[in-house]
Amino acid sequence: MDADVSDSPGTPAEPDRPDHPAGGEPAEGSGDASGPAPQDGTSAGPPDASATGDTAEEAGGTDDASGPGGSGDGPAPGTWGERPGRGPQDGRRHWLRWTALAASFLVLVAAGVGWWLYKKLDGNITTDTSAAAELKAYEKDRPQPIARDAQNILLIGSDTRSGDNSAYGRDDGGSQRSDTTILLHLAADRGSATAVSIPRDLMTRIPSCHTDEGKATEEQFAQFNWAFELGGTACTIRTVEKMTGVRVDHHMVVDFNGFKDMVDAVDGVEVCLKEPVDDADAHLKLPAGRQELDGEDALGYVRARKSIGNGSDTERMDRQQKFLGALVNKMQSNGVLLNPTRLYPVLDAATKSLTTDPGLDSLRDLYDLVRGMRNVPTEKVQFLTVPRTEYRADPNRDELVQPDANQLFTRLRKDEPVAVVPADKAGSADSQADHSSEKDPSGREPGGTSGSPTPAPTYSGSNAADDPCGS
């Protein structure tokens, strides 16, 4: 019969004695830890560790199931090895919790940075509320849109010499000038984009407009860029609408520094020069041949007149169109429009010097516009100048060639296709070469019941896919 452990507590046994193994099976006289739980709710382990002479560590055994006295099949029941969080599965859960926490933190940081960048770009844009108010006052006189979803945007390059632009010429009291004006037509299906340059020296009728001081000007027949100087953006828009019959949906005004920064943001734009250029007025000195221009040189290149070619404004507009085409090609071919990392510097540069109407004064509005254009094939991004010739009363001014000009305006108004070819193929740099709407290549007159559909009229111009060196 076993001795009663409560009668003789004795002294604690040494853990290394062979007759009292540390851990493993219980010594004689102790309860069986693996047996059924007592019915009275007491612990299945020894009732009193001090009564057996064991320390707490001896009562629980060691963590190593293969240690002395262990069975080798795993941790003994009731030991630390049996506690939750010690197995491989629990370690994996611990790692996953920390990964989820880190990912959540990164998402919050990224969202915060993204919001900050969005607000920064959005805040860069200047809204032209005065032009919107002026146009609203003349709403009844403005043409109504015809083609649904097509958009017409007037791009105005301001050459004011005030502020940061004073390095490019004399500042006449900060007066504003319209150096470049382009009517950009985006087809309703966004399958093409047609940019039509309007010469600044084109003689046209300028309606009565209001100056910055609110004074009304007289309606007059004058050169086109006077409209911007007399009544700002609103006066220019109304002049274009009366000339073309095309409703201007939006407008953008970009100054010199914005143009430079955009070129730098895409790491330069490629051009091709037949001869070297040395123009002190344009701050430009370039060798002949194919080369990439940074922002400063690009600005001089598109502004130069006397030092490149025949010095005419006609040739300068042609050079500007080809440069813009090369810029569009660079942005599309290098994936700028599809890469947020590369697109951000372009948007930052553009928005810093951009003044728009309220319909385009947010980053979301500009993004929607860019997104609609990014899939337009470069060969369908076309550039041309309104059909014009020397003004009869002054060879230093231009006048429209009719009916060519009105036929072009009608096609833009109705969102009908326009085709452009190089000047040497069109046969004339200043007017429509062949109105195939009047006669198709087969020689049949309009209205015939047989033959191919009437092709679009062809105008002298270029597209963004053209090689700058013409090869």
Side-chain angles (χ1 to χ4, degrees), residues 94 101 204 215 236 273 285 297:
H94 180 73
L101 181 62
T204 188
K215 181 181 178 181
T236 301
L273 291 172
K285 188 172 184 178
D297 286 339

Side-chain angles (χ1 to χ4, degrees), residues 128-290:
D128 189 355
T129 55
S130 60
E134 177 85 356
L135 292 173
K136 186 176 181 180
Y138 289 97
E139 179 61 36
K140 292 182 179 179
D141 296 333
R142 301 182 64 192
Q144 295 303 308
I146 295 178
R148 184 178 179 181
D149 296 329
Q151 282 196 327
N152 298 294
I153 304 170
L154 196 65
L155 309 176
I156 302 173
S158 170
D159 70 343
T160 176
R161 294 340 194 249
S162 62
D164 294 338
N165 294 329
S166 59
Y168 302 104
R170 181 169 54 89
D171 177 18
D172 298 326
S175 63
Q176 55 186 358
R177 301 175 179 86
S178 171
D179 187 66
T180 301
T181 304
I182 296 175
L183 179 61
L184 175 64
H185 174 77
L186 303 179
D189 62 1
R190 297 302 187 266
S192 66
T194 303
V196 181
S197 294
I198 301 175
R200 64 181 188 176
D201 294 334
L202 180 70
M203 299 301 295
T204 188
R205 187 154 297 281
I206 300 175
S208 174
C209 300
H210 287 91
T211 65
D212 291 338
E213 292 77 24
K215 181 181 178 181
T217 63
E218 296 290 334
E219 181 179 339
Q220 56 192 296
F221 186 73
Q223 63 188 68
F224 173 73
N225 68 339
W226 281 26
F228 194 71
E229 190 167 352
L230 289 171
T233 305
C235 193
T236 301
I237 291 174
R238 293 183 59 222
T239 301
V240 170
E241 290 184 338
K242 286 189 173 297
M243 179 197 308
T244 65
V246 175
R247 169 81 174 211
V248 174
D249 302 300
H250 301 290
H251 71 268
M252 297 182 185
V253 181
V254 184
D255 69 15
F256 287 162
N257 282 289
F259 176 83
K260 290 194 308 180
D261 292 344
M262 286 186 65
V263 173
D264 286 334
V266 297
D267 300 324
V269 174
E270 186 179 67
V271 301
C272 190
L273 291 172
K274 296 179 180 179
E275 299 176 352
V277 177
D278 189 353
D279 188 332
D281 292 337
H283 304 274
L284 187 66
K285 188 172 184 178
L286 299 171
R290 187 188 296 268

